[in-house]
Amino acid sequence: MPSATTANSNSALRQLPSVDALLRCDVGSEIVAAAGDAHAVLLARSVVERQRSEMKADDKRSRSDLLDAAEQMMKEHWQKEQMAGTQRVINATGVVIHTNLGRSPLSRAAIDAIVEAAGYCTLEYDLLSGKRGKRGARAEQLICELTGAEAALVVNNCAAAAFFVLTAFASGGETIVSRGELVEIGGDFRVPDILSQSGSKMREVGATNRTKLADYEKAITDQTKLILRVHPSNYRVIGFTATPMLADLASLAHSRGLMLYEDIGSGALTDVIADEPSIADSLASGVDIATFSGDKLLGGPQAGIVVGKANVIEQLRQHPLYRALRVDKITYAGLEATLDAYRRSKAAEGIPVQRMLAATKEEITQRAEAFVGKLAKTALKIDLTDGVSAVGGGAAPAVKLATTLIALSHPQMSSARIEHYLRASKPAVIARIVEDRVMIDLRTVSESDEEDLVAALNHLSMALFTADDADHADRTDQI
Ligand SMILES: *Cc1c(COP(=O)(O)O)cnc(C)c1O
C-alpha cells in the first residue's frame, strides 16, 4: 500500500491511538466488562489496524481526534456484534410459522418443562423401578394416542426423518414417486436430493399435474423397495390435476409386498387449517410409515416425528442411524408438554401457533384498536387497514387469513427507515412493508409481547419527534 508506506515515514502514523488507550476509553471498558479482556483486545487491535491501513500520508488529525474516531469505530463494531446471535424478536409479520424467526413459539407449559428438564431429569430413567428407562417413551406414547399410530419415534427434524426412513427401507433399491411431488420445501430440502443421498434410486412416475394409480403399478419391478408420497407443502398444482387416493396407493403397495411411506411435512392434529392433511387420516388410509415436523402446525420444538406400524418403527429404532439422529432431553420435554395440551383438548388455547391461526379478524381488530389507543400521539401516522396473514412454514400456501393491520407511516421518514428503526429496537420488532407503509400484524404478536411493542413504537415516535435519539439512530444506521 503506497499511501501507508508514505504515511509510515510521515508523522501522522505516530498519532495513532494505542490498543491500551482504546481499551481505557468508555466503550473499551464496556467491552472489557461485557465480553472479557481477550475479546476487547482483539476488537481494539482490529480498529487500530484499520485506522493505520486507511490513513493517508497527509492526515492532519490530532492524537485526540484519532482516538475519538477509533472509539467511534470500536463502538460501531461492538454494536454490530450485539445484533448477532440468537435473540428474542417480536414477530409482527403475520406469518405464523416463520422459519426465519424460529418457527413455532413454544407454549408456556413447554417452556416450563424445558427449564425443568435442563437440570437432571428422567431422560432414560424409570422412577417406578429405579432402573434404566426407555428414552422417549412418554413422547412416543402421547404421539400414538393422538394419531392412532401403533408406534412412534422422534428424530432431529422432518428432513432427518425422511432421510432415515428412505435410508433404512429403500437404499440399494428403487423408490417410486410422482413427478408432481418432486418438490423443494425451502431451506434446501429437496425430495430428489434426499432420495439420492439415501442411496435409493428415484423412479419418477406420472406428470407434474396428474399421476394415476396405474402409473405407480406399471413402475413396480423387483428393484422396487418403497412407494413414496410427499405432501407438496408450500406448493400447489391447481386445475387439471389427479393423484390416487392414499388408500388405493396403500392397497397397491401391500398387494405387491411393498411399503407406502408418506412425508406429510406439517400435518395436522386439529382441523384449525382445513388445507392440511390429518396424520390420523393418513395412517387410517393404510400408510405404513409417515413423517412430520414438531415445529410446524404442531407448535412444538424442532423435531421429526415418525409414526407407523410397530414392526416398521422397531426396525428404525434398531438401526445404527437412530443413534445419530435422536433428540435430547430438551426436545423431549418441550414435545411432551406440547402433545399433552392436545391430549387435554387444550391446543386451541395452549399452543401459540394454534391460537394465532384460530384468531378471527374481529378479535384482531379489537386488539389492534385497543393497542393503538396505548400509543403516544405524535407525527407518526397510524391507521388500521385490512390485510392477510399467512400460515407459513411451508404449510397451506393457499390459505389466506383475514386480518387487520396497523399501518405506520411518517411524512418525513421513509418506511424503510421506520422498519430499520423497529428492527434495531430491543427486542427487535420484525415488520413488513406494504405499499410504502410499515405493517404490524398483531396475529403473531403474543399478548405478553404487546407491552414491549408499545414501548418500541412510542420510542420510535419520540425519536421522530425529538430527532435527538442519537444512540438508537447509530444502532439503526448499522443495519
Ligand atoms: C417441512 C417439510 C420437511 C422438512 O421438515 P423440517 O422439520 O424442516 O426438517 C420435509 N418434508 C416436507 C413434506 C415438509 O413439508
Side-chain angles (χ1 to χ4, degrees):
M1 276 178 289
S3 67
T5 324
T6 331
N8 237 332
S9 56
N10 192 289
S11 61
L13 272 185
R14 263 176 269 137
Q15 306 302 323
L16 276 174
S18 67
V19 167
D20 255 4
L22 208 42
L23 289 175
R24 267 182 272 114
C25 69
D26 288 352
V27 186
S29 337
E30 190 195 324
I31 301 173
V32 168
D37 289 329
H39 186 68
V41 168
L42 214 65
L43 259 184
R45 270 205 196 120
S46 78
V47 164
V48 174
E49 267 320 300
R50 196 167 128 200
Q51 228 179 10
R52 183 194 310 280
S53 70
E54 288 174 353
M55 185 167 253
K56 299 276 189 312
D58 57 354
D59 199 317
K60 293 281 186 292
R61 281 178 293 175
S62 69
R63 186 178 290 271
S64 86
D65 281 353
L66 284 167
L67 180 59
D68 286 351
E71 189 176 353
Q72 183 58 30
M73 218 191 283
M74 191 151 87
K75 184 174 167 188
E76 282 166 19
H77 270 281
W78 177 236
Q79 282 169 336
K80 259 188 204 158
E81 278 188 13
Q82 305 289 96
M83 317 269 310
T86 310
Q87 46 189 291
R88 174 188 163 212
V89 302
I90 293 176
N91 174 12
T93 64
V95 179
V96 177
I97 306 169
H98 198 308
T99 297
N100 299 156
L101 302 183
R103 284 213 181 141
S104 301
L106 294 177
S107 66
R108 190 67 250 167
I111 294 167
D112 292 346
I114 284 174
V115 170
E116 276 209 15
Y120 290 121
C121 67
T122 54
L123 181 63
E124 290 183 9
Y125 187 82
D126 180 14
L127 282 178
L128 262 178
S129 64
K131 299 210 170 71
R132 181 175 178 164
K134 188 170 151 239
R135 189 187 179 95
R138 171 75 170 162
E140 291 167 17
Q141 182 214 330
L142 285 164
I143 295 163
C144 290
E145 201 173 315
L146 291 166
T147 61
E150 287 179 15
L153 201 65
V154 181
V155 293
N156 186 50
N157 56 21
C158 192
F163 173 68
F164 191 15
V165 169
L166 294 169
T167 305
F169 298 116
S171 67
E174 290 185 359
T175 296
I176 303 177
V177 60
S178 161
R179 290 199 168 86
E181 297 169 10
L182 296 176
V183 292
E184 173 178 313
I185 310 288
D188 298 335
F189 181 88
R190 284 181 166 179
V191 173
D193 294 348
I194 221 102
L195 263 167
S196 87
Q197 192 59 43
S198 73
S200 185
K201 192 156 177 287
M202 178 167 72
R203 183 80 166 81
E204 304 166 42
V205 296
T208 304
N209 56 331
R210 287 171 73 84
T211 305
K212 304 193 189 81
L213 192 65
D215 296 324
Y216 287 92
E217 199 165 3
K218 274 185 285 186
I220 298 174
T221 67
D222 55 4
Q223 293 300 303
T224 311
K225 292 241 184 165
L226 198 74
I227 295 181
L228 166 65
R229 164 76 77 108
V230 182
H231 182 60
S233 302
N234 53 5
Y235 171 82
R236 290 287 180 276
V237 179
I238 54 164
F240 187 53
T241 63
T243 183
M245 302 277 290
L246 214 46
D248 294 340
L249 212 48
S251 303
L252 170 66
H254 298 157
S255 73
R256 307 292 289 265
L258 298 170
M259 265 189 345
L260 175 63
Y261 160 41
E262 183 178 27
D263 181 12
I264 309 181
S266 193
L269 290 180
T270 65
D271 54 6
V272 67
I273 295 295
D275 221 35
E276 281 295 312
S278 126
I279 297 147
D281 286 354
S282 169
L283 291 170
S285 303
V287 163
D288 298 277
I289 193 158
T291 53
F292 58 100
S293 287
D295 56 351
K296 290 185 181 170
L297 274 180
L298 184 69
Q302 179 188 303
I305 300 173
V306 193
V307 286
K309 306 263 164 71
N311 67 325
V312 175
I313 298 292
E314 201 44 42
Q315 287 179 62
L316 289 177
R317 198 188 302 282
Q318 304 305 329
H319 195 286
L321 252 188
Y322 176 53
R323 182 63 177 77
L325 300 176
R326 73 182 192 183
V327 299
D328 69 340
K329 60 183 180 178
I330 300 295
T331 302
Y332 278 125
L335 191 57
E336 285 166 28
T338 304
L339 293 166
D340 185 61
Y342 283 93
R343 190 172 62 163
R344 291 182 292 110
S345 302
K346 292 282 185 259
E349 305 109 77
I351 308 291
V353 297
Q354 295 279 322
R355 193 169 59 227
M356 290 171 183
L357 290 169
T360 63
K361 185 173 193 296
E362 288 66 38
E363 286 163 2
I364 295 170
T365 308
Q366 277 180 13
R367 272 182 71 195
E369 281 165 356
F371 183 88
V372 168
K374 293 181 208 156
L375 298 177
K377 304 281 171 285
T378 61
L380 188 66
K381 194 166 177 310
I382 301 167
D383 302 295
L384 296 188
T385 179
D386 290 341
V388 285
S389 325
V391 179
V399 173
K400 305 263 180 276
L401 305 159
T403 193
T404 291
L405 301 168
I406 301 169
L408 310 175
S409 58
H410 189 271
Q412 270 92 49
M413 199 183 202
S414 72
S415 52
R417 187 130 177 91
I418 294 175
E419 185 270 342
H420 275 189
Y421 192 97
L422 292 175
R423 188 146 39 91
S425 302
K426 261 208 169 296
V429 175
I430 314 298
R432 60 193 162 118
I433 298 175
V434 181
E435 288 167 1
D436 211 32
R437 288 190 297 178
V438 174
M439 299 297 190
I440 303 281
D441 189 343
L442 288 185
R443 182 186 295 279
T444 48
V445 177
S446 69
E447 312 239 337
S448 58
D449 276 342
E450 274 193 24
E451 200 180 317
D452 285 334
L453 185 55
V454 168
L457 293 180
N458 282 342
H459 207 267
L460 166 67
S461 292
M462 287 292 289
L464 291 170
F465 186 60
T466 59
D468 68 351
D469 188 26
D471 194 44
H472 193 102
D474 280 351
R475 206 167 129 81
T476 313
D477 284 340
Q478 287 158 36
I479 297 174

